[in-house]
Amino acid sequence: MPYRAAVTDYLFMIDTLLDADALRQTTRFEEATADVTAAILEEAGKLCDEVLAPLQRNGDLHPARLENGVVRTSPGFADGFKAIAEGGWIGMGADPEYGGMGLPMILTSAVNEMMSGACISLQLAPLMSQGQIEALEHHGSDAIKELYLPKLISGEWTGTMNLTEPQAGSDVGALKSKAVDNGDGTYAISGQKIYISWGDHDVAENICHLVLARLPGAPEGTKGISLFLVPKFIPNADGTVGARNGVSTVSLEHKLGLHGSPTAVMQYDNATGWLVGPEQGGMAAMFTMMNNARLGVGGQGVGVAEAAYQHALSYALDRKQGRAGADGTGSIADHADVRRMLVEMKADVFAARAIGLSCAYALDMANATGDASWRARAALLTPIAKAFGTDTGCSVAHTGVQVHGGMGVIEETAAAQFGRDVRVTTIYEGTNGIQAMDLVARKMMDGGEAAGLLLDEMEEDIERARPDFPNMADACWQACESMREATEWLVAQDDMNNRFAGAVPFLRAFARVLGAQLHLKAAMADKGGPREKLARFYILRMLPEHAGLLTHAQAGEADLFAVTTDALAS
């Protein structure tokens, strides 16, 4: 069964789980009607199914390579990127003043997720550009916007972000790259950056790097960092590419997966750059791009999970073994444990997708209304969407190999590629542990107010379902109350290690409970149908996991650190 973008699922979620009418009633998004939404998603689905999905194996079998200083991408990738660019998909959410469509993030997120399922290695290129576009829209000077945004939006140029250095990974403040004022409005940037996705390639005529560096005399740590735009080729005044800048590709990383995505070690030798935002305001500007990317990476996890599920389902339906089962097919899909795996995969994909779209919706409502409560909702959901989306990608890909049995570890089936490709998503744009720590620390600085308001709304929805589905509603309501109690315990902890020790299980529990409420809402819209049956499975079999997770989340740090490093090494 070839990959098929889950267009029906996106339309159902946007029209049923989210209040799309409220979004369409805002001035900003009034043109994103139901008809427009359907047309966009259906057209994107065709692109993914017919153009991008056939490139998936090419990227794995014929990786990007560096030859004599030139990066050559996988066969077909240049044409695939051209199709994405010419379709206008890069600038879906960008400002129409510079050539964008100005569409809501829910549509951008849905299309990005489809593309990730079709070919995640290629989808990384437009995703990086989208993040840079948003950063420049918020923090770039008028001159930078006028020159760079039309090129990035059209796909003539692509964007990257350069944070990590050999000695500075998650601790970005330890970076050593430096910037010197040239006195003419430009800066000389020097240093080395690693793990730069699509840092060099042959699919577009210019590559624009957002680079974090430190000016002379700036304080140590993150407060002293500035952000610079450093193009591979210095643009001429008319927007054409000019002289080669002092930017070079040292090497491409040999990776576990994502072989079609060139991950570069970049060297800057007095490269010409332009300041983005104020001096020493680099982290604030870069976080605009990173938060965009975190939601996008969560969608990458869900997209790969969808593809891995479809791949496993196709194999399970075709593989005949044993007697005819409940459905009389004789396929391994009739075996109880294989059926369990397939249903768990499908149920988790639905939950993770719905959480990601809920986060995108909150961003849209915040941008359309300026309401601070919507911005707080989006901030709360971002680490959950990123971590749970990518964890789901890894777990579903892992289960997909199991469904294949011995054939799962044979490369010809391509089942293992999903797991190799998606594995890094739990690491880049902030590891999932960092996402969890962000959730229990920064996102709880309001004393848990945003979390409490979300739980209130969830319980209101659950109560509406109680007359039709009393058992499922009761399970969801009790889980919300347990989540509320755990949140109250969390915000009462002054010792941050008590929070951090259980941060990951706390985030996963929150995702489990959110997923259950969203499944229940889907059941209400599909009484007696397949969505109700899927919701029942998730709520009665998978939701109970939250109880053990919350016990872990509230255990504190004492017994964790009682196991000393000496004990670990003994």
Side-chain angles (χ1 to χ4, degrees):
M1 181 172 73
Y3 172 79
R4 288 289 178 264
V7 174
T8 303
D9 250 14
Y10 300 113
L11 288 172
F12 172 82
M13 290 182 182
I14 290 170
D15 291 335
T16 305
L17 300 189
L18 308 176
D19 190 356
D21 286 340
L23 190 64
R24 291 161 183 157
Q25 287 167 10
T26 66
T27 302
R28 180 161 182 167
F29 296 122
E30 61 186 355
E31 295 182 6
T33 64
D35 288 344
V36 168
T37 296
I40 287 171
L41 294 182
E42 287 165 6
E43 194 62 31
K46 291 178 185 176
L47 172 72
C48 293
D49 299 348
E50 298 170 8
V51 179
L52 304 186
L55 303 177
Q56 167 78 350
R57 287 299 281 161
N58 283 356
D60 197 50
L61 299 175
H62 307 285
R65 63 195 188 279
L66 179 62
E67 294 180 345
N68 301 318
V70 178
V71 174
R72 307 294 185 189
T73 52
S74 304
F77 272 39
D79 288 339
F81 183 81
K82 183 179 180 181
I84 294 170
E86 291 181 348
W89 302 110
I90 298 171
M92 288 181 65
D95 190 338
E97 181 179 350
Y98 301 102
M101 296 185 189
L103 291 168
M105 181 59 76
I106 51 173
L107 293 184
T108 298
S109 293
V111 171
N112 283 346
E113 189 187 303
M114 289 185 203
M115 290 185 182
S116 298
C119 184
I120 184 176
S121 288
L122 180 54
Q123 188 268 342
L124 257 173
L127 181 68
M128 293 293 97
S129 291
Q130 287 170 351
Q132 186 170 118
I133 288 165
E134 184 169 358
L136 294 181
E137 284 180 345
H138 284 84
H139 304 285
S141 66
D142 289 342
I144 284 177
K145 290 178 184 178
E146 290 170 7
L147 177 57
Y148 285 87
L149 285 178
K151 298 289 189 179
L152 290 165
I153 289 168
S154 69
E156 294 172 76
W157 299 353
T158 64
T160 74
M161 61 176 165
N162 289 233
L163 291 79
T164 308
E165 298 181 6
Q167 79 293 338
S170 297
D171 182 13
V172 178
L175 64 80
K176 299 298 182 185
S177 293
K178 62 181 182 179
V180 177
D181 192 341
N182 289 328
D184 61 356
T186 68
Y187 296 77
I189 313 299
S190 298
Q192 188 176 96
K193 299 289 184 176
I194 63 173
Y195 304 149
I196 310 306
S197 297
W198 283 85
D200 201 2
H201 56 75
D202 58 0
V203 307
E205 66 178 9
N206 204 2
I207 305 167
C208 309
H209 304 285
L210 279 180
V211 183
L212 289 178
R214 200 182 307 276
L215 288 160
E220 294 298 313
T222 56
K223 292 182 179 179
I225 296 174
S226 300
L227 182 64
F228 302 89
L229 181 58
V230 186
K232 178 179 179 179
F233 295 99
I234 298 174
N236 297 316
D238 63 358
T240 58
V241 293
R244 178 70 185 256
N245 207 350
V247 182
S248 59
T249 302
V250 177
S251 62
L252 297 183
E253 303 290 0
H254 298 279
K255 301 172 296 183
L256 174 70
L258 289 181
H259 295 153
S261 168
T263 302
V265 176
M266 303 299 302
Q267 183 68 38
Y268 297 87
D269 295 307
N270 291 316
T272 300
W274 285 261
L275 184 67
V276 176
E279 291 186 4
Q280 300 179 33
M283 286 305 293
M286 186 60 87
F287 261 107
T288 300
M289 185 172 186
M290 285 186 67
N291 282 327
N292 177 293
R294 284 174 175 175
L295 177 57
V297 170
Q300 286 185 323
V302 180
V304 175
E306 174 69 43
Y309 165 70
Q310 290 187 22
H311 201 73
L313 176 63
S314 177
Y315 180 82
L317 293 174
D318 287 343
R319 174 68 168 161
K320 308 298 182 184
Q321 187 168 300
R323 297 179 180 178
D327 291 344
T329 66
S331 74
I332 62 169
D334 272 348
H335 296 189
D337 191 56
V338 175
R339 184 69 63 91
R340 174 194 62 80
M341 288 190 283
L342 293 169
V343 180
E344 282 185 358
M345 293 164 82
K346 187 174 180 66
D348 253 352
V349 169
F350 183 95
R353 176 175 291 143
I355 291 169
L357 285 180
S358 296
C359 182
Y361 178 82
L363 280 170
D364 285 332
M365 290 300 290
N367 291 331
T369 67
D371 190 327
S373 64
W374 278 116
R375 200 157 299 284
R377 173 71 53 83
L380 178 75
L381 289 176
T382 295
I384 300 173
K386 192 278 183 181
F388 188 66
T390 56
D391 280 344
T392 297
C394 289
S395 65
V396 169
H398 177 84
T399 303
V401 171
Q402 191 72 16
V403 170
H404 280 76
M407 292 302 294
V409 297
I410 304 301
E411 282 296 335
E412 283 80 358
T413 66
Q417 182 183 345
F418 298 112
R420 289 187 286 102
D421 283 351
V422 80
R423 185 62 186 86
V424 72
T425 62
T426 66
I427 297 171
Y428 60 29
E429 308 311 333
T431 68
N432 286 0
I434 289 174
Q435 304 303 317
M437 292 167 69
D438 176 51
L439 176 64
V440 302
R442 187 183 301 272
K443 302 304 163 57
M444 295 294 169
M445 289 175 67
D446 62 354
E449 181 179 351
L453 288 173
L454 176 57
L455 289 167
D456 289 343
E457 291 182 21
M458 291 167 65
E459 288 184 348
E460 289 173 7
D461 261 347
I462 291 164
E463 286 303 320
R464 284 190 280 272
R466 195 178 290 278
D468 294 289
F469 304 119
N471 292 341
M472 287 197 289
D474 189 60
C476 290
W477 193 89
Q478 294 293 344
C480 283
E481 284 301 293
S482 296
M483 200 72 230
R484 192 188 303 276
E485 291 170 8
T487 303
E488 292 170 353
W489 178 90
L490 194 79
V491 298
Q493 305 307 305
D494 294 327
D495 184 344
M496 292 306 292
N497 263 353
N498 277 332
R499 299 190 189 192
F500 293 156
V504 167
F506 179 84
L507 183 150
R508 185 168 180 83
F510 215 140
R512 269 281 169 259
V513 178
L514 273 168
Q517 181 261 323
L518 291 163
H519 265 292
L520 182 60
K521 195 169 184 178
M524 285 291 290
D526 189 32
K527 296 172 186 175
R531 297 189 192 280
E532 179 199 322
K533 295 177 175 64
L534 191 65
R536 191 173 301 280
F537 180 94
Y538 184 96
I539 291 168
L540 300 184
R541 295 177 182 243
M542 299 173 73
L543 174 61
E545 179 191 8
H546 84 280
L549 291 167
L550 291 180
T551 298
H552 187 169
Q554 297 172 82
E557 56 92 23
D559 59 346
L560 177 66
F561 286 96
V563 184
T564 65
T565 52
D566 286 343
L568 288 172
S570 64

